[in-house]
Amino acid sequence: MADFSDTIAVCPGTYDPVTEGHLDIIRRATCLFSRVVVGVAAVSPRKDTLFSAPERVTFLRGSLGETIEVDVFDTLLVDFARKWDARALVKGLRAISDFEYEFQMAQLNRKLASDIETVYLMASPEYSFLSSSGVKEIARFGGNVNDLVPPEVARRLAELFQ
Amino acid sequence: MADFSDTIAVCPGTYDPVTEGHLDIIRRATCLFSRVVVGVAAVSPRKDTLFSAPERVTFLRGSLGETIEVDVFDTLLVDFARKWDARALVKGLRAISDFEYEFQMAQLNRKLASDIETVYLMASPEYSFLSSSGVKEIARFGGNVNDLVPPEVARRLAELFQ
Amino acid sequence: MADFSDTIAVCPGTYDPVTEGHLDIIRRATCLFSRVVVGVAAVSPRKDTLFSAPERVTFLRGSLGETIEVDVFDTLLVDFARKWDARALVKGLRAISDFEYEFQMAQLNRKLASDIETVYLMASPEYSFLSSSGVKEIARFGGNVNDLVPPEVARRLAELFQ
Amino acid sequence: MADFSDTIAVCPGTYDPVTEGHLDIIRRATCLFSRVVVGVAAVSPRKDTLFSAPERVTFLRGSLGETIEVDVFDTLLVDFARKWDARALVKGLRAISDFEYEFQMAQLNRKLASDIETVYLMASPEYSFLSSSGVKEIARFGGNVNDLVPPEVARRLAELFQ
Amino acid sequence: MADFSDTIAVCPGTYDPVTEGHLDIIRRATCLFSRVVVGVAAVSPRKDTLFSAPERVTFLRGSLGETIEVDVFDTLLVDFARKWDARALVKGLRAISDFEYEFQMAQLNRKLASDIETVYLMASPEYSFLSSSGVKEIARFGGNVNDLVPPEVARRLAELFQ
Amino acid sequence: MADFSDTIAVCPGTYDPVTEGHLDIIRRATCLFSRVVVGVAAVSPRKDTLFSAPERVTFLRGSLGETIEVDVFDTLLVDFARKWDARALVKGLRAISDFEYEFQMAQLNRKLASDIETVYLMASPEYSFLSSSGVKEIARFGGNVNDLVPPEVARRLAELFQ
């Protein structure tokens, strides 16, 4: 077998904004792989982002500490993974949320780069209902999102929608 | 971060019998983790097995070579994982096949052992329809299962159902 | 136990426009709860509406009669429910349509207001395929929607798309 | 409208054995309906039960207190509901677990008794992975089920499988 | 193109017993294909049947008239299809009921016989909740199944369970 | 029975652009029905198209040869089917992708035209992850789509996004 002492994993996403559910997946990934890089998609394939890419990166860095890299990408995800020598992509599955989209992207990514594997972790039950868009919808109407996102994100959302 | 130079993963299953789909998942797991142990459940929680546990182990060993351990367990899966110092369980997801059962077992296992993570790999498309029970059903009626299972398994199935 | 002689339920939706499927759920809700309030979301979280909020209210009032309140909201749904002292939100489930979205919103709403419960009724089979967007798509091409929506709605759709 | 000061709801199940997830649904039902009756199916349509019906009733009564009725039925569920003058059946939905079976039974029951409505509550996230069969599987191998079932049930399971 | 004036389709199933939902699918198949053969699986892969194969055939013949063949098979389904020169298998999909099993069997059958295509019809809404096992469960408790199965089947079920 | 020597089927879609998965379904349809017409929706109900309708038709004609008609429609699908005297609509199902949307449209179409049947073929495993939008997303970032679409489409995508 090859030397696996340095399997690198990428946790990709739009993180618009990062939620406690995202952080849970990223932290669990660090228990499995020797190094984890959070990849922030500069643009969302399906809709405009509320926060700029640098803002989304700042939220992640503020929540994750210095041992986890955070990097923006505006390329194919597999090209981003190769840039970091990553052999694994790590995604969370919330029940079957996004399952269809993830399933298709996993197979497409293997077609594009058969040496990179996508691995899935089941969302923790307490975050299984949590999404960035749900958070934004609540914040838009002045609801309390303190348990759902890091404090800095909650503060910015309150500023934006007050 | 801890030293991850030896993350061990368990690929659990009943393997009654092992299929090419199982082998695909196990081989992909070996590209992610430094050591992979195949855990063979002695009994199936839901039905009687066609093959004895030793036979199922023999099929796996014959297909996998010597670098991958194969071991039987008749305990809680998390206790088996601990015996091997494994931090990860690896399972395949075929579309939403078994998804419900897997989702529940993943959460239960985290409840029982929060330090052990279950990770999922999407089944390769060419094996996404493949299950041990489908193979047995075909073999029972004399159908050709040569592309679906290792040669030794195909031979034994032919003997059993001829 | 508390005095439950006046459990109030809210049937929330965009109702753009109301369909026979919506009316079926609302009427079934009136058989379970002592008072039902139809809550019309002023704006749709995911897309522009075809009809203005007052028009959508008019369609609902015309179809439901005077015993059922119809009210617009432009707040968090749980705040709307509290305004009406409602203890239940009632939604229809068409197979797994919208199930993901509903599941997440139900959990988020419980997080925001643990005293308000979302209850689901299975859509009647004859309406299980019916959605406001399907109706609009058919009407856009001049198709017959007479069995799918109240007469007043069918008339307005014909005017709009003729 | 009719007088709804006494809408009665039945929470049916096999309860073999009752879990914390069942209790959560039953308690939430008591916040919606003026009276709740727990209906224990004498036999399971799909498999043998581990506990006798009287034992299953005892577990429920011990956990629920005296204000909630517990009653065994060996008839059609709708006939049991009618016996108690119940207008609602209340079931929990864990993601799409049992969804298929529930969907079919709901429609069949409406066909058999159009005056009785089945309403669904989403399982609380912390119980969304919990099932009687999962509990039994863990207990069978000596796992700890203390957080998953009432104490009396945990004690009996330990006796059975030690 | 080949001469398609005689595309033959097989409607396979256990039909234990035939329901109005099965008859709906079979009749719709006769509008698409020049000849339809109903294939009755002698044994069910997953459970014992309530009715013998000859009884199940008799129910089908009594409901379908003489222009539709009914034949028992105890072989691989694709071998049965070949015996009848059928190019298509026709199955009903009730929401996602049985979808998993069907998806796997479709792919396995194409692997075994790439010249035979499985086509799916969506169950009519009014039968989307209907299954042989649901019917048997209702009949077992004396419920009325007259709208769900042909009269002869209803009569036999009443005899069996009275 | 009627004369079925000329059952005509329509394969409808937006085909923006056609993929190998679409071509697989169309070709399999030609093995079942005596004549197949590919119906190209002029506009997509849910989003803007990347390619104009004439371009999408050109891609299809270039890939399919002369025996299969390709025609644009800007009407209800059932009206398009009637124009061609088609008795069947043929769609592919990729796992449960689009299943919800397809299920609703199938039932709506039967409501609008009960004489026209929608039949589904399961996507071949190797194309089960393939969608026009996935292809466009890959092409947008310069990824290789040669195995996923016909050569002419790959060339045009490269031109557009280089």
Side-chain angles (χ1 to χ4, degrees), chain E residues 28 87 110 117 120 124, chain F residues 28 31 110 117 120 124:
Chain E
R28 287 160 60 192
R87 234 185 340 246
R110 284 192 71 205
E117 190 69 68
Y120 295 91
S124 298
Chain F
R28 286 159 61 192
C31 297
R110 284 191 73 204
E117 191 67 69
Y120 295 91
S124 298

Side-chain angles (χ1 to χ4, degrees), chain C residues 28 107 110 117 120 123-124, chain D residues 28 107 110 117 120 123-124:
Chain C
R28 288 159 60 192
Q107 306 289 11
R110 285 191 72 205
E117 190 68 69
Y120 295 91
S124 297
Chain D
R28 287 159 61 192
Q107 306 290 11
R110 284 192 70 203
E117 190 69 67
Y120 296 91
S124 297

Side-chain angles (χ1 to χ4, degrees), chain A residues 28 107 110 117 120 123-124, chain B residues 28 107 110 117 120 123-124:
Chain A
R28 287 159 61 193
Q107 307 290 10
R110 284 191 71 206
E117 190 69 69
Y120 295 91
S124 297
Chain B
R28 287 159 60 192
Q107 308 289 11
R110 284 191 71 204
E117 190 69 67
Y120 295 91
S124 298

Side-chain angles (χ1 to χ4, degrees), chain A residues 54-111:
Chain A
E55 262 187 308
R56 287 178 272 141
V57 168
T58 301
F59 292 147
L60 280 156
R61 289 211 177 114
S63 305
L64 288 170
E66 306 214 338
T67 58
I68 299 179
E69 297 275 350
V70 181
D71 191 12
V72 176
F73 66 102
D74 193 11
T75 60
L76 279 181
L77 175 52
V78 291
D79 291 336
F80 178 75
R82 279 186 180 133
K83 171 182 144 189
W84 283 92
D85 277 329
R87 241 191 329 250
L89 306 173
V90 181
K91 308 287 308 257
L93 285 182
R94 297 164 297 180
I96 53 167
S97 279
D98 307 326
F99 180 80
E100 290 295 299
Y101 182 77
E102 291 298 338
F103 181 76
Q104 292 192 9
M105 290 313 291
Q107 307 290 10
L108 281 174
N109 282 332
R110 284 191 71 206
K111 189 104 188 169

